[in-house]
């Protein structure tokens, strides 16, 4: 279920109309499960569910009761009074035993108790309580200024982190490290905009605000700051997204063996029979915390077998969408006329199907089977050639290092934070607008109106990162990808 886009009238700081409830822990059995409620004035509902008033921000061990006063379960109840809560609204958390049936009973009891008539008011205790949509608790935290948009995304990234490095960087982003960098850039940009606008507004004063305030120097420093943040964001996005690496080559070049060697597990079937691999086998591996999505594909050749032909078509489809291609060559067949002719055909096809920015890494396999331990034929003898044995593991470390290099990873960097591709694109947009601004500022007769517009567009791009400004449909897309209860 996706989050409905916010209406134009729902700005940041507004409270959502309906109270919401959801099971906040993962499906299945566990030691503890949580039912979470958020909305206005939850103290009465909490008292009805627990049979006692709850002191805010104090864990209370209590029984959770049904409508007749019977006990559903016993556990901890936590009540957070607005605005001192995750969402900025009143929040109630019921921590019970983590059985699916128990949690469903508690969820149903919350909805039932909310609809009961309160004797003191003659009205439902909590009207319009409904099930939460995916990401709606965090969405409310954003709308109520408890988190900015980059921090809200970091919540999902922390949950989804597949490596220790990704989890640590997501925690940094959630703590506001990335947002603080963006705010620093925004303040510098606002200061520069102020100078340009002042020059536009008061031309009769004959005071060159831009020159006196060193606007060119401020713009240069701002560009350097954006470049530094973009470098860190690229690395963070790489840790989050990884790259897609496709192993391609003729049948029996050792593609499946290489996938197994990189993964450290027998994932793909390996036999001496050509055409064993008929479909794509994918595995995500980690090198220095960077996820690489490696795909083993069917051997590339002309085939009369219909099933194999479909596998080869799928192989080319994945190759065309790869971030990098490992073109695997068989050392033991180099020099054979038919083999070399097919290698040339695959090389031409790769050059036609791949974009100019997609690297092709040539790898010569079966080093262990080459008879001369010192001399290698042709290009495999080059200084930077990647020669390995998927069977023995010789040369695999060099391949891993080359893959990191191709991915753009730079180890040992400090001050990184987990970023998303949209953050990288926004920062690139800021770079482009500032480049235009610099060209205008350096012109013999600067157009200050155009300069002011370029700076405004740059600030809009920065604001989109933290959500100070952004399209309503962007918010809907982001929060719809969260899990329910978060």
């Amino acid at each position: 279920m996706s989050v409905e886009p916010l209406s134009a009238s729902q700005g940041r700081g507004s409270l959502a109309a309906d109270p919401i409830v959801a099971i906040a822990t993962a499906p299945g059995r566990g030691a503890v499960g949580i039912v979470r409620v958020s909305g206005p004035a939850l103290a009465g509902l909490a008292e009805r569910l627990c049979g006692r008033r709850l002191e805010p921000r104090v864990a209370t061990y209590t029984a959770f009761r049904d409508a007749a006063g019977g006990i559903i379960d016993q556990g901890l109840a936590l009540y957070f009074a607005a605005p001192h809560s995750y969402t900025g609204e009143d929040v109630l958390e019921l921590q019970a035993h983590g059985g699916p049936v128990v949690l469903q009973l508690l969820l149903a009891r919350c909805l039932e108790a909310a609809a009961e008539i309160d004797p003191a008011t003659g009205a439902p205790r909590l009207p319009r309580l409904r099930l939460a949509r995916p990401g709606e608790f965090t969405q409310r935290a954003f709308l109520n200024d408890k988190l900015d948009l980059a921090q809200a995304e970091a919540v999902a990234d922390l949950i989804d982190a597949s490596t220790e490095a990704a989890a640590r960087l997501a925690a940094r982003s959630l703590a506001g490290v990335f947002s603080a960098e963006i705010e620093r850039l925004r303040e510098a940009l606002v200061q520069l905009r102020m100078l340009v606008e002042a020059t536009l507004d008061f031309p009769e004063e004959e005071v060159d605000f831009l020159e006196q305030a060193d606007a060119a120097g401020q713009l240069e420093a701002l560009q350097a700051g954006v470049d530094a943040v973009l470098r860190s964001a690229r690395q963070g996005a790489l840790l989050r997204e990884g790259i897609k690496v496709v192993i391609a080559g003729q049948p029996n070049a050792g593609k499946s063996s290489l996938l197994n060697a990189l993964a450290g597990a027998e994932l793909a079937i390996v036999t001496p029979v050509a055409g064993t691999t008929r479909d794509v086998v994918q595995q995500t591996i980690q090198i220095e915390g960077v996820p690489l999505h490696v795909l083993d594909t069917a051997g590339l050749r002309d085939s009369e077998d219909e099933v194999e032909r479909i596998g080869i078509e799928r192989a080319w489809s994945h190759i065309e969408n790869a971030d990098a291609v490992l073109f695997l060559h068989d050392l033991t067949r180099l020099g054979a006329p038919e083999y070399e002719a097919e290698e040339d055909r695959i090389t031409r096809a790769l050059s036609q199907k791949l974009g100019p920015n997609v690297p092709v890494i040539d790898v010569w396999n079966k080093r262990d089977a080459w008879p001369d331990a010192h001399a290698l034929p042709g290009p495999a003898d080059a200084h930077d050639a990647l020669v390995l044995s998927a069977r023995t593991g010789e040369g695999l470390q060099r391949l891993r290092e080359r893959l990191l290099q191709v991915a753009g990873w730079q180890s040992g960097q400090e001050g990184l934070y987990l970023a998303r591709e949209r953050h990288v694109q926004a920062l690139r947009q800021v770079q482009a607008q500032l480049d235009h601004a610099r060209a205008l500022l350096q012109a013999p007769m600067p157009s200050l109106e155009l300069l002011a517009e370029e700076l405004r567009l740059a600030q809009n791009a920065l604001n989109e990162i933290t959500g100070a400004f952004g399209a309503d449909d962007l918010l809907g897309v982001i929060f719809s990808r969260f899990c329910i209860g978060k």
Side-chain angles (χ1 to χ4, degrees):
M1 183 185 297
S2 62
V3 175
E4 298 172 5
L6 300 172
S7 67
S9 61
Q10 284 182 301
R12 288 194 67 180
S14 64
L15 291 176
D18 297 339
I20 55 175
V21 60
I23 297 173
T25 42
R29 298 171 61 189
V32 176
I34 299 174
V35 174
R36 176 181 291 161
V37 189
S38 181
L42 297 185
L45 177 67
E47 184 174 1
R48 179 61 176 158
L49 293 170
C50 302
R52 58 192 296 182
R53 294 198 66 84
L54 299 180
E55 184 179 349
R57 305 175 69 84
V58 174
T60 304
Y61 181 71
T62 184
F64 306 131
R65 301 184 178 276
D66 60 23
I71 296 176
I72 298 174
D73 194 9
Q74 291 182 317
L76 293 179
L78 287 164
Y79 169 62
F80 302 88
H84 306 295
S85 71
Y86 178 71
T87 64
E89 305 171 329
D90 280 5
V91 170
L92 174 65
E93 287 193 355
L94 306 178
Q95 301 183 8
H97 293 95
V101 174
V102 173
L103 296 177
Q104 287 294 337
L105 287 173
L106 277 179
L107 181 65
R109 177 58 186 143
C110 288
L111 293 167
E112 180 186 37
E116 291 174 353
I117 301 300
D118 187 345
T121 63
R125 186 170 277 105
L126 193 64
R128 301 190 310 277
L129 178 67
R130 59 171 175 79
L131 296 177
R133 300 187 293 266
E136 193 168 4
F137 289 95
T138 302
Q139 184 182 33
R140 292 191 179 196
F142 165 73
L143 293 173
N144 295 325
D145 293 308
K146 305 298 287 188
L147 300 170
D148 65 33
L149 194 54
Q151 289 175 297
E153 290 171 310
V155 173
D157 292 339
L158 187 58
I159 294 171
D160 294 336
S162 59
T163 68
E164 179 182 349
R168 289 184 182 277
L169 297 192
R172 282 173 54 82
S173 292
L174 179 56
V177 176
F178 181 44
S179 300
E181 290 290 334
I182 298 302
E183 179 60 22
R184 180 180 59 80
L185 295 175
R186 193 189 72 83
E187 289 177 357
L189 185 51
V190 168
Q191 176 68 20
L192 188 55
R193 286 189 65 193
M194 181 187 69
L195 292 171
V196 175
E197 298 290 347
T199 305
L200 282 170
D201 290 343
F202 303 103
E204 69 280 0
E205 296 292 333
E206 298 181 357
V207 177
D208 192 346
F209 289 99
L210 300 183
E211 184 175 347
Q212 288 186 359
D214 188 23
Q218 289 191 41
L219 179 56
E220 183 178 353
L222 180 58
Q223 287 181 294
V226 171
D227 291 345
V229 173
L230 179 56
R231 283 194 297 271
S232 293
R234 281 197 195 110
Q235 297 296 292
L238 180 60
L239 272 176
R240 181 182 184 274
E241 307 288 348
I243 65 169
K244 179 181 178 181
V245 180
V246 175
I247 306 175
Q250 295 191 52
N252 278 354
K255 298 182 298 299
S256 298
S257 297
L258 180 56
L259 172 66
N260 292 342
L262 287 171
E266 295 297 320
L267 302 174
I269 298 173
V270 178
T271 75
V273 179
T276 298
T277 300
R278 301 290 184 98
D279 206 348
V280 175
V281 179
Q282 177 173 341
Q283 177 68 17
T284 298
I285 66 173
Q286 297 173 18
I287 306 176
E288 293 191 22
V290 178
L292 301 179
H293 312 294
V294 184
L295 285 77
D296 172 30
T297 58
L300 304 177
R301 66 172 179 176
D302 292 328
S303 175
E304 299 298 325
D305 187 295
E306 183 177 356
V307 176
E308 185 181 1
R309 200 164 56 243
I310 294 173
I312 293 170
E313 290 175 359
R314 291 181 179 179
W316 279 115
S317 176
H318 284 287
I319 289 170
E320 291 173 5
N321 292 287
D323 297 312
V325 175
L326 291 181
F327 186 6
L328 201 61
H329 309 278
D330 185 349
L331 274 174
T332 64
R333 287 187 281 171
L334 290 185
E338 291 185 3
Y339 178 81
E340 293 290 355
E342 191 65 18
E343 290 285 273
D344 291 340
R345 187 186 70 82
I346 294 174
T347 299
R348 290 194 301 271
L350 287 174
S351 64
Q352 293 170 1
K353 294 177 179 292
L354 296 178
N357 296 322
V358 179
V360 177
I361 304 173
D362 289 290
V363 180
W364 282 265
N365 187 29
K366 303 186 182 179
R367 179 71 177 84
D368 57 300
W370 183 250
D372 191 331
H374 302 288
L376 290 170
D381 196 32
H383 175 70
D384 62 345
L386 282 175
V387 181
L388 55 79
S389 168
R391 187 175 69 84
T392 67
E394 178 187 356
L396 281 181
Q397 184 56 34
R398 284 193 63 199
L399 175 58
R400 294 187 181 99
E401 293 169 358
R402 181 71 64 85
L403 285 171
L404 285 180
Q405 181 184 9
V406 166
W409 176 249
Q410 300 173 11
S411 60
Q413 294 189 92
E414 298 294 332
L416 295 184
Y417 24 75
L418 207 63
R420 295 189 172 204
E421 185 59 30
R422 79 169 192 91
H423 302 153
V424 173
Q425 293 302 323
L427 287 167
R428 285 177 177 155
Q429 181 66 28
V430 175
Q431 272 186 328
Q433 304 301 155
L434 293 183
D435 286 342
H436 296 160
R438 186 168 188 172
L440 289 168
L441 192 58
Q442 292 175 340
M445 295 292 292
S447 172
L448 298 186
E449 291 85 356
L450 292 178
L451 176 60
E453 178 64 10
E454 295 293 347
L455 295 178
R456 184 187 69 82
L457 293 174
Q459 184 179 341
N460 284 349
L462 273 182
N463 288 343
E464 286 181 357
I465 294 175
T466 57
F469 170 85
D472 289 347
D473 57 351
L474 173 65
L475 300 183
V477 169
I478 288 172
F479 289 108
S480 68
R481 295 176 181 174
F482 280 57
C483 52
I484 293 176
K486 199 63 187 174

